[in-house]
Amino acid sequence: MTATERVTPWDPAARHRFVTSDGTALHINETGPASDITVVFAHGWTLDHTSWDRVVDAIGQQVRVVRYDHRGHGGSASSPAGTATIAQVSDDLAELIADRIPTGPIVLVGHSMGGMAAMALAERHPTLFAERIAAVGLVATSCGGLSDVTFGLPRLLAGRAAAIERRLNRRVARRQVLLGKPKAAVPALRWLLFGSGSRKADVLATAMQVGRCHPASAVGFRASLNDHERREALAAMREMPVVIMAGGSDRLTTLPHARVIADELPTAELVIYPGAGHMLPYERATDIAAHVDRLIKKVDNADLSDRSA
């Protein structure tokens, strides 16, 4: 999908559409062959499943891959009042797994809010997580403390930036500001989300995704990010293969956030990309794909060992 294409609200074909228990229709994208192992990619706040395009292309057609748009994002329906929360998207993910991936081990890879959804899944659905999730990739994400984000600015300037953000969010929620003006947003998104050497096409693709996010949902999820505190939930990942990937120049989920996760998961692999920002699925797509491939192999080898025992 190119940066100028738009995601259809949802394909009428049943395989591209999943309806949650509260009636919210989610856009689903499935690729790859039928396989014992399924890789599930969960995207970040205001993005959609297309943020993983380059990573999925690099993985190739070796296993089944399931991507989806969180409620209020991309081609999914807007979030009903009060449901734009990380807890809710973890419930959506649990329902999606039960319906579309009823058997077999899952490699769960989450970027930013998608990684937080993985943590919330472990917290809210511990049995499902223990029985079905076999490995986890946490990409540019956090287990808490996001209310203190300074965007890489001095504390005084960060406070002013936060005040501007709150005013902008109120205008967005009232639809006085349209999110769908990608070219106008490129300079700000490049500074906020990308590290050095970013490609214009990647920034524009990101802006297009932001433009597809439902305005009120975007604001609702922003509040939920501040409330996200799930350090204890990481305990569910201690006995499985985990890779933590972080950009050294990430202004949103800064490097200390990755180190906190690593402290809780001492056997996990922590990979830091100096100079990269928050958008690692674009900035380091090939590297992410290589790490996901290694997780797949670890799960496959473990599964083969279990079957031979």
Side-chain angles (χ1 to χ4, degrees), residues 277-292:
H278 188 67
M279 293 301 294
L280 294 181
Y282 284 115
E283 297 176 88
R284 299 294 186 270
T286 302
D287 287 337
I288 292 176
H291 284 292
V292 173

Side-chain angles (χ1 to χ4, degrees), residues 177-264:
V177 173
L178 297 179
L179 297 182
K181 295 181 178 180
K183 291 185 179 180
V186 163
L189 291 177
R190 184 192 299 276
W191 176 83
L192 181 64
L193 300 179
F194 287 81
S196 59
S198 60
R199 303 193 318 170
K200 184 176 180 179
D202 295 342
V203 185
L204 181 58
T206 300
M208 292 294 294
Q209 292 169 60
V210 174
R212 290 191 287 262
C213 189
H214 300 269
S217 297
V219 175
F221 278 109
R222 178 64 182 92
S224 186
L225 293 174
N226 282 343
D227 295 335
H228 169 70
E229 296 293 340
R230 292 185 169 89
R231 185 168 182 167
E232 293 182 0
L234 294 170
M237 304 179 189
R238 287 178 184 154
E239 302 302 320
M240 63 179 63
V242 177
V243 59
I244 306 159
M245 290 162 270
S249 298
D250 190 337
R251 288 185 168 92
L252 295 183
T253 53
T254 55
L255 197 52
H257 289 264
R259 295 196 187 281
V260 169
I261 297 172
D263 287 344
E264 293 296 322

Side-chain angles (χ1 to χ4, degrees), residues 47-63:
L47 304 176
D48 60 41
H49 76 276
T50 64
S51 64
W52 294 110
D53 280 353
R54 194 175 299 163
V55 176
V56 172
D57 288 345
I59 291 173
Q61 298 289 310
Q62 57 173 314
V63 294

Side-chain angles (χ1 to χ4, degrees), residues 40-297:
V40 176
F41 286 99
H43 66 78
W45 175 55
T46 71
L47 304 176
D48 60 41
H49 76 276
T50 64
S51 64
W52 294 110
D53 280 353
R54 194 175 299 163
V55 176
V56 172
D57 288 345
I59 291 173
Q61 298 289 310
Q62 57 173 314
V63 294
R64 181 187 181 204
V65 172
V66 175
R67 293 180 283 166
Y68 66 102
D69 295 341
H70 297 305
R71 59 176 59 213
H73 293 70
S76 293
S78 60
S79 306
T83 68
T85 67
I86 294 170
Q88 181 61 60
V89 296
S90 76
D91 293 348
D92 293 346
L93 177 55
E95 290 185 28
L96 176 63
I97 288 172
D99 185 82
R100 295 297 179 91
I101 320 171
T103 61
I106 294 170
V107 176
L108 178 57
V109 185
H111 171 230
S112 193
M113 192 175 80
M116 300 172 207
M119 298 172 202
L121 182 72
E123 176 187 70
R124 295 172 64 82
H125 302 274
T127 301
L128 181 147
F129 194 93
E131 293 178 351
R132 302 300 314 286
I133 307 303
V136 177
L138 298 172
V139 182
T141 191
S142 171
C143 63
L146 291 168
S147 59
D148 295 327
V149 169
T150 64
F151 309 106
L153 298 170
R155 182 63 61 179
L156 179 59
L157 290 178
R160 293 175 181 173
I164 292 171
E165 182 197 12
R166 288 192 293 270
R167 289 197 296 271
L168 180 60
N169 284 344
R170 288 193 292 270
R171 294 178 63 195
V172 168
R174 294 194 299 267
R175 296 181 183 270
Q176 293 179 11
V177 173
L178 297 179
L179 297 182
K181 295 181 178 180
K183 291 185 179 180
V186 163
L189 291 177
R190 184 192 299 276
W191 176 83
L192 181 64
L193 300 179
F194 287 81
S196 59
S198 60
R199 303 193 318 170
K200 184 176 180 179
D202 295 342
V203 185
L204 181 58
T206 300
M208 292 294 294
Q209 292 169 60
V210 174
R212 290 191 287 262
C213 189
H214 300 269
S217 297
V219 175
F221 278 109
R222 178 64 182 92
S224 186
L225 293 174
N226 282 343
D227 295 335
H228 169 70
E229 296 293 340
R230 292 185 169 89
R231 185 168 182 167
E232 293 182 0
L234 294 170
M237 304 179 189
R238 287 178 184 154
E239 302 302 320
M240 63 179 63
V242 177
V243 59
I244 306 159
M245 290 162 270
S249 298
D250 190 337
R251 288 185 168 92
L252 295 183
T253 53
T254 55
L255 197 52
H257 289 264
R259 295 196 187 281
V260 169
I261 297 172
D263 287 344
E264 293 296 322
L265 301 174
T267 63
E269 181 179 6
L270 173 61
V271 184
I272 299 169
Y273 297 103
H278 188 67
M279 293 301 294
L280 294 181
Y282 284 115
E283 297 176 88
R284 299 294 186 270
T286 302
D287 287 337
I288 292 176
H291 284 292
V292 173
D293 183 61
R294 283 194 281 274
L295 290 176
I296 293 169
K297 287 180 169 59

